Amino acid sequence: MTGSWRLFLLCSLLLASVMTLSGSCVTVPCSFILRDGFDTWLKPECGIYWYKIIYQPISSTTIRGNLTAYNCTTTFNNVHEDNGPYYLRIQCDGSPLNYNFYENPVTIRIKGLPDAPRLTPPKEPVVEGTPVELGCSAPSYCDTHPPTVTWTPALGLSTQLQQDDTVTSTLTFNASHLHHGNNVSCTAAYYIPSGDKTVTSTRYQLSISYAPRNTSAVGSPCLPAREGGCLNLTCSSHANPAVSEVTWYRIHGEHILKIGSGSSLSIQLWNANNVFFCEVRNDIGTEKSNVYKIDIQ
């Protein structure tokens, strides 16, 4: 349960329910206000108690709040089963400020498995060479035993922050074409005082935009390779987004001649100087291939 609720002395209140893992703890955020005239009786020696049965206080609780600041926040420890309702009592001996909040019982629910962590992808399309930031948030059911969030693989620097009932880890790294298509997982490990551990994870597939790489030109001649014969050229490349334009060139002496376009091209062999290469382009950049040379009869 997130947030806090207000306990109004001598006023009607709403039912509250909190949730935790078996064997763990749960913190109940709690505050109250007093009716006019009762504030002067609120002293540091006043007590806060939780009851399941009246006059039998629950011993496995830790009072976290400052009573004189109207804060009754309490941690219930070593919870193993659905239980409740629990009732809050403020008791200031020797004064009229003694009150059971029957109107506002608290019920504790046991969750079998923790919710999977929520992975936040990058806000913008990621281009090779730019920094990437991934976020992973996991619910913290017990603030004294928060989950440990880890990343697989550990691509860069990670930091972890606990705030209220959530633990957030941030992973920062520089994008590479080698990361494209790889899966990154964030895992939340929950440890409870008994030593047990529960693990849950979420996976995300990286998408990295990068200019063409490893561009290659190959040829397959019509046999035999002779003047006047044909040659089938093929250009291949790795790129994201995919290559949108392929241009073919023939090197003739000191001149470079454009001879066609497309990933596949069929041409005629017409002299002994048959040297070719392709150039590919996508939205990120361009790259030229190796040169392909064929000797003809």
Side-chain angles (χ1 to χ4, degrees), residues 160-266:
Q160 181 167 312
L161 174 67
Q162 180 177 357
Q163 187 173 12
D164 296 330
D165 55 0
T166 302
V167 170
T168 301
S169 178
T170 302
L171 175 67
T172 305
F173 62 96
N174 286 324
S176 165
H177 68 282
L178 299 175
H179 298 146
H180 178 66
N182 291 346
N183 290 317
V184 177
S185 297
C186 71
T187 300
Y190 292 84
Y191 299 87
I192 61 176
S194 65
D196 293 337
K197 181 176 72 170
T198 302
V199 176
T200 182
S201 64
T202 300
R203 186 175 63 180
Y204 173 74
Q205 188 175 55
L206 294 171
S207 178
I208 309 297
S209 297
Y210 59 94
R213 304 180 65 91
N214 303 321
T215 304
S216 175
V218 295
S220 177
C222 303
L223 297 177
R226 61 187 179 185
E227 187 171 358
C230 65
L231 176 67
N232 296 318
L233 294 168
T234 302
C235 183
S236 61
S237 182
H238 298 288
N240 184 47
V243 167
S244 57
E245 182 180 345
V246 180
T247 305
W248 285 96
Y249 298 90
R250 182 198 296 263
I251 300 176
H252 183 62
E254 297 181 355
H255 302 285
I256 298 178
L257 307 175
K258 180 179 178 180
I259 59 174
S261 61
S263 58
S264 298
L265 181 69
S266 293

Side-chain angles (χ1 to χ4, degrees), residues 24 54 65 75 79 90 131 138 182 203 207 225 254 257-258 279 288:
S24 190
I54 298 303
T75 296
V79 181
I90 294 178
N182 291 346
R203 186 175 63 180
S207 178
E254 297 181 355
L257 307 175
K258 180 179 178 180
E279 183 180 49
K288 293 181 175 64

